[in-house]
């Protein structure tokens, strides 16, 4: 029995993909676990694993180690906030005496106020604050590079395209790898759907847009109110209304993409990510789901077994696993 069989309705207009046919929403909603893994014509693949976060930590550490052993430069873009991953990488760097001299690391986003003023590094709920304190400062002083190699969004580099230019300069045209995790409206960083700052007439134009200050969508604000820096209590009033972010250009310019879909309420197994994961990976590549542009190039999305779990039955609105 499908969700729309007994009562058909058009999803709320403010939602991205609200014009997607109900049959298409139902198709992606019902993708089976055995049909989830694939590799597309661009070299982008989906794999279902138990713990994507540990694989991201392993991948970052391996590339940093390689940059030390081979004495080669390594530029990468990091999602926020991932303190468990970053402290784990820092611990391994310290344990095995890996020199980080060749690294340029970029935080992908930061909060901004209603006037576009970027949050300072002293802001405890800040993304740059976490990136510096949970990653850079955890690396032993004799192994880490100068702080200028750990890049964050600031008042000084918030101008349209400025942060993108820094990434391209450090990375010889783009980052070696971008690490990310899709958000509730299908965003990467704060590249939200339907924002006026990322308005474009076509997907081709959209992927040329670089870093800038953007206005967050309601779903993004709701999502972030559920994370621990904002109290993990649905306190939407604690979430700043704007953000500084990388642009679609930084995603497509990266030579490789690494994404994790694994957000879960550990107590109940509830998640807002199960549906948007399917829309991103099995729906159309479009501006309505900005993270879907990851599929335009080489990369891997690791989906956790929990996110790959089928949706519950809609009989009486109660999933089977709760009966």
């Amino acid at each position: 029995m499908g969700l729309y069989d007994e009562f058909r309705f058009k999803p709320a207009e403010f939602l991205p993909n609200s014009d997607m046919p109900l049959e298409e929403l139902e198709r992606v909603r019902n993708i089976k676990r055995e049909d989830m893994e694939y590799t597309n014509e661009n070299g982008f693949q989906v794999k279902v694993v138990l713990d994507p976060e540990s694989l991201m930590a392993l991948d970052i550490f391996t590339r940093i180690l390689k940059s030390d052993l081979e004495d080669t430069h390594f530029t990468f873009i990091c999602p926020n906030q991932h303190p468990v991953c970053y402290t784990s990488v820092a611990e391994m760097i310290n344990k095995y005496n890996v020199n980080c001299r060749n690294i340029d690391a970029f935080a992908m986003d930061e909060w901004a106020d209603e006037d576009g003023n970027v949050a300072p590094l002293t802001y405890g709920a800040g993304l740059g604050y976490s990136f510096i304190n949970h990653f850079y400062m955890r690396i032993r002083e004799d192994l880490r590079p100068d702080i200028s190699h750990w890049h964050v969004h600031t008042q000084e580099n918030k101008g349209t395209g400025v942060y993108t230019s820094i990434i391209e300069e450090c990375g010889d045209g783009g980052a070696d790898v971008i690490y990310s995790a899709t958000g509730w409206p299908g965003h990467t960083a704060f590249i939200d759907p339907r924002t006026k700052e990322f308005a474009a007439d076509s997907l081709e134009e959209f992927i040329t847009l670089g870093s800038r200050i953007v206005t967050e969508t309601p779903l993004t604000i709701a999502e972030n109110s559920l994370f621990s820096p904002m109290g993990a209590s649905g306190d939407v009033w604690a979430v700043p209304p704007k953000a500084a972010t990388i642009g679609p250009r930084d995603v497509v310019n990266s030579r490789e993409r690494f994404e994790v879909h694994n957000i879960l309420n550990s107590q109940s197994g509830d998640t807002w990510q199960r549906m948007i994961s399917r829309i991103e990976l099995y729906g159309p590549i479009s501006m309505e789901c900005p993270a879907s542009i990851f599929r335009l190039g080489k990369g891997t999305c690791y989906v956790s077994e929990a996110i790959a779990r089928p949706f519950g039955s809609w009989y009486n609105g109660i999933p089977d696993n709760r009966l």
Side-chain angles (χ1 to χ4, degrees):
M1 176 178 172
L3 169 61
Y4 307 109
D5 287 355
E6 290 187 349
F7 180 52
R8 291 180 68 84
F9 57 88
K10 180 175 170 44
E13 289 187 2
F14 81 88
L15 293 172
N17 291 294
S18 58
D19 290 329
M20 185 181 290
L22 298 184
E23 290 74 18
E24 178 68 1
L25 287 171
E26 195 71 332
R27 181 187 68 81
V28 299
R29 182 179 286 121
N30 292 314
I31 294 286
K32 296 180 179 179
R33 164 66 178 82
E34 57 266 29
D35 297 325
M36 286 188 168
E37 297 189 329
Y38 67 83
T39 301
N40 74 8
E41 66 277 9
N42 300 317
F44 182 84
Q45 58 183 333
V46 175
K47 292 188 176 182
V48 182
V49 298
L50 281 175
D51 185 8
E53 192 87 5
S54 63
L55 292 176
M56 183 165 75
L58 178 62
D59 193 84
I60 295 173
F61 173 73
T62 300
R63 293 176 192 265
I64 292 175
L65 174 62
K66 184 179 179 182
S67 77
D68 180 19
L69 296 177
E70 298 180 357
D71 197 21
T72 54
H73 191 239
F74 176 44
T75 300
F76 61 110
I77 301 172
C78 298
N80 282 303
Q81 299 183 23
H82 283 265
V84 173
C85 173
Y86 299 144
T87 54
S88 298
V89 173
E91 179 64 22
M92 296 298 285
I93 288 170
N94 295 339
K95 181 175 181 178
Y96 293 106
N97 297 301
V98 179
N99 192 296
C100 299
R101 66 192 180 282
N102 295 316
I103 289 174
D104 272 287
F106 287 83
M108 59 169 44
D109 45 22
E110 182 56 279
W111 304 113
D113 67 15
E114 65 279 7
D115 297 317
N117 297 306
V118 178
L121 287 175
T122 53
Y123 178 48
L127 306 177
Y129 174 91
S130 177
F131 188 57
I132 296 295
N133 285 277
H134 292 135
F135 202 169
Y136 180 82
M137 295 302 295
R138 299 297 182 101
I139 298 173
R140 215 168 63 221
E141 190 172 1
D142 60 311
L143 298 176
R144 67 191 185 215
D146 184 82
I147 188 66
S148 63
H149 287 251
W150 233 257
H151 305 267
V152 296
H153 292 270
T154 65
Q155 277 290 92
E156 290 68 36
N157 63 30
K158 71 176 184 178
T160 299
V162 174
Y163 202 70
T164 290
S165 295
I166 300 171
I167 294 172
E168 292 177 354
E169 181 180 354
C170 290
D172 191 23
D176 292 302
V177 187
I178 179 171
Y179 298 91
S180 188
T182 195
W184 205 341
H187 64 222
T188 286
F190 286 106
I191 309 170
D192 278 352
R194 302 185 186 178
T195 57
K196 60 183 179 180
E197 295 88 356
F198 281 121
D201 292 329
S202 65
L203 183 64
E204 290 73 21
E205 179 188 353
F206 181 68
I207 62 176
T208 68
L209 303 179
S211 58
R212 63 199 60 206
I213 298 291
V214 298
T215 304
E216 297 167 41
T217 62
L219 274 182
T220 289
I221 291 174
E223 169 196 334
N224 280 282
S225 75
L226 299 176
F227 291 141
S228 56
M230 302 303 174
S233 301
D235 186 354
V236 294
W237 300 270
V239 182
K242 292 189 176 183
T245 181
I246 61 169
R249 178 186 179 98
D250 302 302
V251 175
V252 298
N253 276 357
S254 296
R255 287 176 277 279
E256 193 167 344
R257 298 143 194 82
F258 191 109
E259 196 174 23
V260 293
H261 292 185
N262 65 328
I263 295 175
L264 198 72
N265 182 329
S266 58
Q267 299 299 316
S268 65
D270 293 335
T271 176
W272 50 255
Q273 200 177 43
R274 194 169 284 128
M275 183 59 176
I276 195 59
S277 172
R278 286 157 170 79
I279 289 176
E280 176 194 336
L281 299 177
Y282 309 103
I285 298 176
S286 74
M287 294 181 287
E288 284 288 276
C289 182
S292 65
I293 66 174
F294 267 64
R295 291 156 52 194
L296 293 174
K298 178 184 177 184
T300 304
C301 180
Y302 289 99
V303 179
S304 73
E305 290 284 359
I307 296 298
R309 196 180 70 196
F311 289 43
S313 163
W314 291 96
Y315 287 104
N316 299 318
I318 304 174
D320 290 339
N321 63 346
R322 302 292 176 82
L323 293 173

